[in-house]
Amino acid sequence: CVTIAAITEGAMMGAAIVRGFDAAVNLDAFAEGNYAWKNQFIMAMRPVNGDEDDAAEATVADWTIHFVALPWKLFFAMIPPASYCGGWLCFCIALVFIGGVTAVIGDLASLMGCCLDLPDAITAITIVALGTSLPDTFASKVAAVEEPTADAAIGNVTGSNSVNVFLGLGLKYKDGGFAVIAGDLVFSVIIFTLCSVTALAVIVYRRRAFQAELGGPKGVKTNTAIFFVMLWLFYVALASWKVQTPDADEGMQVVATIVGVMGIGVGMVVIAGIIHCISGMRSAQQAAAKDHIEAALWEHQARLDNFQQAALKAAATNGIKASP
């Protein structure tokens, strides 16, 4: 009896430990996470979106892109799925991975600017800015496509910029001073503020006019995309111009700004015209293909009708009664 009681007490203690561990870790979610983690590596080895059916229909371009991106796919497949620890483990490790990749891309962009003999200011607002902002760009794009509203996409933009300003500039130099010669900074900040206010005004206008900050009718969303790209080119062009001409006075800066605004309008017209021409050519090709298919079907039907009529005449000539 003593032995049985000891075994029963040990079993109850073991069951209590398992229940406590399950309550803390959630063993079912842990097992699900193991399976999902394994599938991440399997999907990373396939082209397109990792689906087996889509992989079977992948084109040469899909396979080429897949092999170029394969190291990155496998690298980020090491991030654990959201099933572990309520998603916090995935969140923290993903931040570390993204931060590491961003740091590497930023260093490579700086080296590229040095090899091209570009001034540091131009390298910072072009190559380095693109390299370090691409993760945010793709995150905003995914959020805009997958979320029913634009809150996540626009919130990601404002949130990432606030991190860059308040943490990137604030925490890095909290123990010492970091002197920045004004130089071209004032003009660059003014142009950036002008572009930012304009972009916000466009978003507010779209909400009132179309009830949508993003997307909307084809023409509206295309023109908005072109306009935002032209705003970025406007800022980069003027900031780079100021770096190349540091002695430009206020009058020249105003003239350059006016020319840049006119360039935005001309660029929008040109790009919109090119897109319209391409769309027209595609529509014409589709219409021609449709007409060709319809003509082929009509020709086939005409041949079939002629064959049937010839068969009926031959049957009538030979005295054979045709079946109804």
Side-chain angles (χ1 to χ4, degrees):
C1 295
V2 176
T3 304
I4 295 175
I7 294 175
T8 303
E9 183 178 356
M12 293 177 61
M13 184 179 298
I17 293 174
V18 172
R19 285 195 299 271
F21 183 76
D22 186 25
V25 179
N26 192 347
L27 294 178
D28 293 335
F30 189 79
E32 181 183 352
N34 292 338
Y35 180 76
W37 206 346
K38 175 184 175 182
N39 281 338
Q40 286 183 182
F41 286 93
I42 295 176
M43 295 178 67
M45 298 298 295
R46 296 171 181 166
V48 195
N49 58 357
D51 186 77
E52 188 173 0
D53 295 334
D54 293 338
E57 300 176 357
T59 62
V60 176
D62 294 332
W63 279 105
T64 303
I65 296 174
H66 168 68
F67 283 117
V68 171
L70 183 59
W72 298 105
K73 287 184 176 182
L74 295 176
F75 178 70
F76 281 97
M78 292 187 289
I79 300 176
S83 303
Y84 297 118
C85 304
W88 283 104
L89 183 62
C90 173
F91 176 75
C92 296
I93 296 181
L95 283 181
V96 174
F97 274 56
I98 293 174
V101 171
T102 303
V104 172
I105 293 176
D107 289 341
L108 292 177
S110 300
L111 291 174
M112 182 178 178
C114 181
C115 294
L116 295 176
D117 197 21
L118 292 176
D120 293 340
I122 296 179
T123 303
I125 64 175
T126 54
I127 303 176
V128 176
L130 276 176
T132 56
S133 299
L134 281 179
D136 295 333
T137 304
F138 289 122
S140 298
K141 189 259 184 186
V142 172
V145 172
E146 296 184 355
E147 295 293 329
T149 63
D151 295 344
I154 297 178
N156 177 68
V157 174
T158 56
S160 62
N161 282 281
S162 65
V163 170
N164 292 335
V165 174
F166 302 130
L167 296 183
L169 295 179
L171 294 181
K172 189 174 182 181
Y173 312 107
K174 62 184 180 64
D175 296 328
F178 183 73
V180 179
I181 301 175
D184 311 313
L185 188 61
V186 175
F187 179 75
S188 177
V189 171
I190 291 175
I191 297 300
F192 178 79
T193 303
L194 177 64
C195 294
S196 301
V197 172
T198 304
L200 291 175
V202 171
I203 291 175
V204 173
Y205 167 75
R206 284 176 54 91
R207 183 175 184 83
R208 294 180 178 179
F210 308 104
Q211 301 299 317
E213 286 85 352
L214 302 177
K218 183 177 180 181
V220 174
K221 65 182 180 182
T222 301
N223 290 329
T224 302
I226 296 173
F227 181 66
F228 281 176
V229 172
M230 293 304 300
L231 280 180
W232 176 72
L233 294 176
F234 168 75
Y235 166 72
V236 170
L238 286 184
S240 301
W241 168 80
K242 187 61 174 66
V243 172
Q244 297 292 343
T245 56
D247 299 329
D249 56 10
E250 289 79 2
M252 293 182 62
Q253 294 175 15
V254 172
V255 172
T257 304
I258 296 175
V259 172
V261 172
M262 296 174 59
I264 291 177
V266 174
M268 285 194 64
V269 172
V270 172
I271 296 176
I274 293 174
I275 294 176
H276 180 72
C277 292
I278 294 175
S279 299
M281 292 174 60
R282 288 181 178 177
S283 299
Q285 291 176 354
Q286 292 176 356
K290 182 179 179 181
D291 294 340
H292 180 73
I293 293 173
E294 290 179 351
L297 290 175
W298 278 107
E299 183 179 358
H300 176 74
Q301 186 64 36
R303 290 180 179 178
L304 183 61
D305 293 341
N306 293 334
F307 177 78
Q308 291 177 349
Q309 292 177 2
L312 290 175
K313 289 182 181 179
T317 303
N318 297 328
I320 301 175
K321 185 179 180 180
S323 59

